[in-house]
Amino acid sequence: MVGRVVKPHGVHGELMVDVSTDSADLRFAVGSVLFVTSRDGSVSRTLTVTAARPHSGRLLVCFEGVADRDAADALRNAVLCAHTVDLPPIEDPDEFYDHQLEGLAVLTVTGDVVGTVREIMHGAGGELLVVDRADGREALVPFVRQIVPEVDVRGGRVLLDPPPGLLDEE
């Protein structure tokens, strides 16, 4: 994931985007093609960037074929992804692309099944793993080494050492 559409901006199809990539200049360069999916995964397509500019800590992005507010509003909350074949390899063993983590099984260090990573939320305070719990609830887990001591992409799992209260019933 390289970003998420927040909302339309103006009446000419411009979109406000929360960026979740360290390579925003590359990913949102004019001519870049992004894979777009609705948050529930029901609609997907590709869009080509025609313009992008910074605005209040976010990007305002225009896409080919999104020419008015109605077309832009149809993309509200959509997830923007780069094609994985276009992504450069990551040298740091403690860094991951979101798509590598999504779908991994989540277990505690004692072997208890917690659930599955649904998505990664990027915020000012850092990243959170959004975990669909085995009991049907959702857990937000800070993606820091103290709580997530091991990520085994090849093994398909994430280990948690949750502090007291993180996974308690509400």
Side-chain angles (χ1 to χ4, degrees), residues 3 37 43 45-46 49 57 63 83 86 101 113 118 121 123 128-129 139 153 166 170:
T37 184
V43 178
R45 66 186 205 190
T46 58
V49 176
F63 291 104
H83 294 281
D86 295 336
L101 302 172
V113 174
R118 181 177 71 228
M121 289 177 57
L128 295 171
L129 299 178
V153 173
L166 183 67
E170 295 180 3

Side-chain angles (χ1 to χ4, degrees), residues 13-133:
E14 203 167 30
L15 295 161
M16 186 171 290
V17 174
D18 273 335
V19 176
S20 58
T21 176
D22 292 336
S23 306
D25 291 344
L26 174 65
R27 297 290 161 227
F28 292 95
V30 172
S32 295
V33 176
L34 297 176
F35 182 71
V36 183
T37 184
S38 60
R39 188 168 186 139
D40 65 4
S42 63
V43 178
S44 61
R45 66 186 205 190
T46 58
L47 290 174
T48 302
V49 176
T50 59
R53 62 188 172 98
H55 177 73
S56 299
R58 294 179 168 150
L59 278 183
L60 294 178
V61 182
C62 294
F63 291 104
E64 191 174 290
V66 181
D68 60 29
R69 187 170 183 89
D70 290 338
D73 197 44
L75 293 169
R76 184 184 296 262
N77 296 320
V79 175
L80 306 172
C81 298
H83 294 281
T84 57
V85 295
D86 295 336
L87 298 173
I90 297 176
E91 304 293 328
D92 186 342
D94 291 329
E95 293 285 326
F96 305 93
Y97 287 117
D98 291 359
H99 75 273
Q100 293 176 298
L101 302 172
E102 293 165 351
L104 295 182
V106 180
L107 308 160
T108 65
V109 292
T110 59
D112 296 327
V113 174
V114 176
T116 305
V117 176
R118 181 177 71 228
E119 68 178 296
I120 291 68
M121 289 177 57
H122 300 268
E127 285 79 32
L128 295 171
L129 299 178
V130 180
V131 178
D132 286 334
R133 304 238 348 220

